[in-house]
Amino acid sequence: MSAPAKQIDDPRWTRVDEYAARKLLTADAALDAAVASSEAAGLPPISVTPLQGAFLHVLARATKPRAILEIGTLGGYSTIWLARALEPGGRLITLEYERKHAEIARQNIDRAGVGDRVEIKVGKAIDALPSLTGPFDFVFIDADKPTTTEYFEWAVKLARSGTVIVVDNVVREGAIADEKTNEEGALGMRRFLDAAGRDLRVTVSVIQTVGGKGYDGFAIAILR
Ligand code: SAH
Ligand code: DHB
Ligand code: MG
């Protein structure tokens, strides 16, 4: 997927990200190794930031999850944060199209000691979703952006009342609010928000984010 062309940034965002991470996050060899091995293998540097990983962990933990679904594994960085939020005996299924990404993720997830809880399904997420059995307590959607509307529909189908669904990259440096945008990711997210706003099964919000990954945002939904 192509990144947005113009870089919106402010040095304070990175400084605050680094400051808060230094204050709040403890050194974590498994997460550091996941980042390093993903970079060494040439995976794109598009995983969530450390503070975003902790944020996802907090949200997931609040649902007392016995089952988590992730769409878009990459090197397993967000997967590790989420797997650590599972209740004892809980399971996480993560869907990844690229075999190479899945192989790197497998190593990173096993090294983090959560491999027994995590299943990686390789292939197009849209093909795997119909074979899954819910309910999932928490869902993180972070794969190909144009298909987000379909992934969200599946997430709702596989959910229960109270399930929390988080969607990454909905703001795209503000492109979501630009009706003239040609960026396929932003167009995908505009279509997703159109559908979500009409969907009486869910309450949804968007929270804009700045920091180590520039200007973007999450959608967060809960099943009524
Ligand atoms: N959640 C990860 C980042 C995921 S990046 C993290 O924060 O650590 C997006 C991933 O989605 C990439 O690995 C990409 O290969 C994968 N992807 C793209 N299209 C896909 C599809 N159709 N089905 C499943 N995965 C897909
Ligand atoms: C891209 C994908 C992501 O999931 C992300 O968080 C940032 C960028 C991309 O494909 O450009
Ligand atoms: Mg993302």
Side-chain angles (χ1 to χ4, degrees), residues 8 45 48 71 79 84 107 116 188:
I8 304 168
V48 295
I71 306 177
T79 318
R84 289 173 173 175
Q107 294 168 14
D116 57 334

Side-chain angles (χ1 to χ4, degrees), residues 31 34 78 97 140:
L31 289 172
S78 55
Y97 177 67
F140 181 45

Side-chain angles (χ1 to χ4, degrees), residues 3 18 21 40 49 76-77 132 135 142 157 172 176 191-192 221-222:
E18 286 167 2
T49 66
Y77 184 81
L132 300 184
D142 189 22
K157 266 191 204 135
R172 315 285 302 194
I176 184 130
R191 186 165 71 88
F192 160 58
I222 191 162

Side-chain angles (χ1 to χ4, degrees), residues 181-205:
T181 186
N182 295 317
E183 206 256 305
E184 61 167 3
L187 290 170
M189 291 306 175
R190 286 176 65 86
R191 186 165 71 88
F192 160 58
L193 285 201
D194 279 342
R198 283 187 259 101
D199 192 334
L200 300 176
R201 300 168 297 178
V202 287
T203 303
V204 192
S205 185

Side-chain angles (χ1 to χ4, degrees), residues 11 26 36 47 53 60 71 75 80 89 95 100 106 112 130 160 219 222:
T26 48
S47 57
I71 306 177
I80 294 168
L95 309 179
K100 177 181 165 187
R106 183 80 261 167
R160 56 156 173 93
I222 191 162

